[in-house]
Structures are given as structure tokens and as C-alpha cells.
Amino acid sequence: MCTWMSLSFQDSVSPLMEQLIMFHDHVMMIIIFITLIVFYMMFSLYLSLYVNRNLLEGQFIEFVWTIIPAVMLIFIALPSLRILYLIEEVNNPLLTIKGVGHQWYWSYEYSDFCQIDFDSFMSSYEDSSFNTFRLLDVDNRIVIPFGVQVRFLVSSFDVIHSWTVPSLGLKLDALPGRVNQGLIYLMRPGLFFGQCSEICGSNHSFMPIVLESINVSMFMNWLSNF
């Protein structure tokens, strides 16, 4: 989860988030390279008492500073398109979960099983303890087995919400009358926190998301409790 003075990404728990972090590092290296070159040229021209006449007018230098940015954009666009296709790809999911946004809580339904649905409200202040996270924990968590492809469907009952878990690299808009889908593939157990990322009213900040990742046997025992 995101902690105080954390300036980087959260630890990835899905292959998609790993790809997003690698793409971020790739683009940042290109941006830093461009920034250093530009600052070097600016300071060298500012501090120099001489003027290079070949920089004032020349077709070759104009050709160079047109081609180089185009090549850099290609190196950025190709991995970006690859990740965009990975985000939309859902192949042979073994489990389907539907989440519906309300003002101001989430409700979940395990579509592959009969009568498994529940509401997820933010934990009240009276029920909180030193073992819970204030304004982030909920009374009913989403339970998902790791190492299993899960199709997650999102919609809304009233206004526009957004189901977001940063460590998954997943942000799905919950729109009334529409169903969006995304892929969840967890690589390790743990608790992963998220929040609604679309301003949906006065209690927008008080509808958190908590995803609990467990192994398959524990997940089957959890299902048997319903």
C-alpha cells in the first residue's frame, strides 16, 4: 500500500503492473536523456562567446532534429501499444466477479456461484483497532485466489464511480447502464488496498476497496461458509 512520503509506485502484484512499471522506467530514461541534452545545449550557447554559423541555418541540422524525435516516439509508442492490448485482454478466466458502485459503497457478486453476494462498507471508527487501517479497511473484503485468472466486471447503480487498485495496475470506470471488464491475476498472497478514483459525491473518499489474496484451498473453504 502507499505509505507516508512514498514517491514511487506501489509494489506490483500482477504481471500488468510489472509491465507498467517497466514502461515507466523506459520512458523516464528517454525523458532524462532529452532533458540533459537540451540543458547542455542551452548552457553551452549561453556561456559561449562565439556563434556556430552552421546552427543558424542549415537543412541537415533541421533534418536531424526532426528524425531523432520521430525515432524516440517510435521507441515509446511500440511498448505503449503492447501494454494497451494487454490491459484489454481477458483469456479463459476461471472465475468471474462483478462489482457495482453505489453512493457510497461497493457491492460484489461471485457470478459463478449461486447466492454469493455482499456489500462492502468502510469500517466504522468504533470497530477500528490498531490492526486496521483507518479510512482504508472494509467490513467485507473481496477474496480472490492467487495464480488464477479472474474476470472482473464493473458497473454502477447511480453515478459514475471508478474501481481502482494501484498495486494491480487496474482502474475500471463504473458507468450506469454499462459493464466494463478487466483481468485480475494475482502473483502472491496479501492485502491490497484501493479507493474510488472518480468524484462521485460528498462521501467519495469513504468507499475504499480491499482485496484479499489467498490460495485456492483457502478460497474454497471461504466459499463453503456461504
Side-chain angles (χ1 to χ4, degrees):
M1 63 179 294
C2 188
T3 56
W4 176 253
M5 293 297 292
S6 177
L7 302 178
S8 59
F9 291 104
Q10 297 184 22
D11 293 336
S12 62
V13 70
S14 67
L16 176 60
M17 188 59 185
E18 286 186 348
Q19 293 294 322
L20 289 172
I21 293 176
M22 292 174 62
F23 175 70
H24 169 268
D25 297 340
H26 170 74
V27 174
M28 283 301 298
M29 289 300 297
I30 296 177
I31 293 174
I32 291 172
F33 173 75
I34 295 173
T35 304
L36 292 176
I37 294 296
V38 171
F39 272 99
Y40 170 76
M41 295 180 65
M42 289 175 57
F43 281 105
S44 61
L45 291 174
Y46 178 75
L47 299 176
S48 177
L49 300 177
Y50 303 99
V51 176
N52 190 341
R53 64 180 182 178
N54 294 324
L55 292 178
L56 297 179
E57 182 178 355
Q59 294 183 355
F60 178 74
I61 190 64
E62 292 180 0
F63 173 78
V64 169
W65 68 42
T66 302
I67 292 299
I68 291 179
V71 173
M72 289 184 174
L73 287 177
I74 292 175
F75 277 97
I76 293 175
L78 292 180
S80 175
L81 291 174
R82 175 175 172 270
I83 293 177
L84 284 176
Y85 280 102
L86 287 176
I87 292 175
E88 299 294 332
E89 189 173 3
V90 180
N91 291 324
N92 301 322
L94 298 180
L95 181 64
T96 299
I97 302 175
K98 183 179 180 181
V100 180
H102 302 263
Q103 289 184 315
W104 287 271
Y105 64 95
W106 295 97
S107 62
Y108 300 101
E109 175 187 337
Y110 286 71
S111 305
D112 299 323
F113 309 97
C114 297
Q115 297 179 349
I116 298 184
D117 58 277
F118 53 87
D119 297 330
S120 180
F121 290 87
M122 184 182 70
S123 297
S124 62
Y125 179 77
E126 291 77 11
D127 297 334
S128 62
S129 63
F130 291 106
N131 298 324
T132 60
F133 296 99
R134 180 177 176 269
L135 302 182
L136 281 179
D137 215 340
V138 296
D139 53 358
N140 293 312
R141 300 168 177 169
I142 319 167
V143 179
I144 296 179
F146 62 86
V148 173
Q149 287 195 20
V150 178
R151 178 197 287 119
F152 195 82
L153 306 176
V154 175
S155 186
S156 174
F157 182 77
D158 35 47
V159 298
I160 300 176
H161 302 275
S162 184
W163 196 89
T164 306
V165 180
S167 57
L168 294 178
L170 191 61
K171 181 179 184 293
L172 297 173
D173 291 334
L175 305 173
R178 290 193 56 182
V179 177
N180 290 333
Q181 74 169 4
L183 176 66
I184 297 178
Y185 184 85
L186 302 169
M187 299 186 299
R188 57 184 173 86
L191 289 178
F192 310 104
F193 298 86
Q195 290 175 302
C196 177
S197 299
E198 186 73 29
I199 297 177
C200 55
S202 59
N203 287 337
H204 157 69
S205 301
F206 304 104
M207 48 183 304
I209 302 161
V210 181
L211 192 151
E212 183 175 354
S213 174
I214 57 178
N215 58 35
V216 177
S217 61
M218 293 179 64
F219 177 72
M220 299 304 295
N221 292 332
W222 179 80
L223 289 177
S224 63
N225 294 327
F226 284 90

